[in-house]
Amino acid sequence: MARMTLDRIKASRPKIDRARIDATTEEDIVRHMREDGEDPNAVPGRFTEDLPPALIRERMGMTQVEFAGALGIPVATLRNWEQGRVRIDPAARALFRIVSRDPKRALKALNPSQPYGE
């Protein structure tokens, strides 16, 4: 596949057939789910909204340097995640979910020698 410049990507039109999307019926969706091996009658799974790392960090009253140090990651990595330059990988996303739910225990588990909120 040939590489495209950013200008060409921005100038290209998306290949979305809106008429076809609008013509899709509920029966079509159920059929597609069955074809994909899904149960159309299954109860949807629970959605867990992930908090952005910057919000977690700010709620904890920590700087980027402090937060990155507590998590054991490079500050540049945290900055890239917070500024949206790099997608957060699933393992880090899970870590942020744990830290957001119980920050003191999570940080204590990551770095037992530090007195986080004792």
Side-chain angles (χ1 to χ4, degrees), residues 20-83:
R20 189 171 178 193
I21 292 171
D22 291 340
T24 302
T25 64
E26 289 297 320
E27 291 79 22
D28 293 330
I29 294 170
V30 168
R31 187 183 77 251
H32 293 154
M33 290 178 76
R34 286 195 178 112
E35 289 171 358
D36 291 341
E38 296 179 44
D39 178 7
N41 298 316
V43 177
R46 196 175 122 229
F47 175 75
T48 303
E49 182 179 5
D50 291 332
L51 295 176
L55 182 61
I56 298 168
R57 178 181 57 77
E58 289 166 3
R59 285 183 178 174
M60 296 175 68
M62 298 177 88
T63 66
Q64 286 180 328
V65 172
E66 293 169 336
F67 194 52
L71 297 177
I73 60 172
V75 178
T77 299
L78 178 63
R79 287 182 179 140
N80 283 334
W81 288 339
E82 286 190 4
Q83 295 171 9

Side-chain angles (χ1 to χ4, degrees), residues 102-114:
D102 197 342
K104 292 176 187 173
R105 287 188 192 174
L107 294 183
K108 186 70 174 170
L110 289 169
N111 197 345
S113 65
Q114 294 297 316

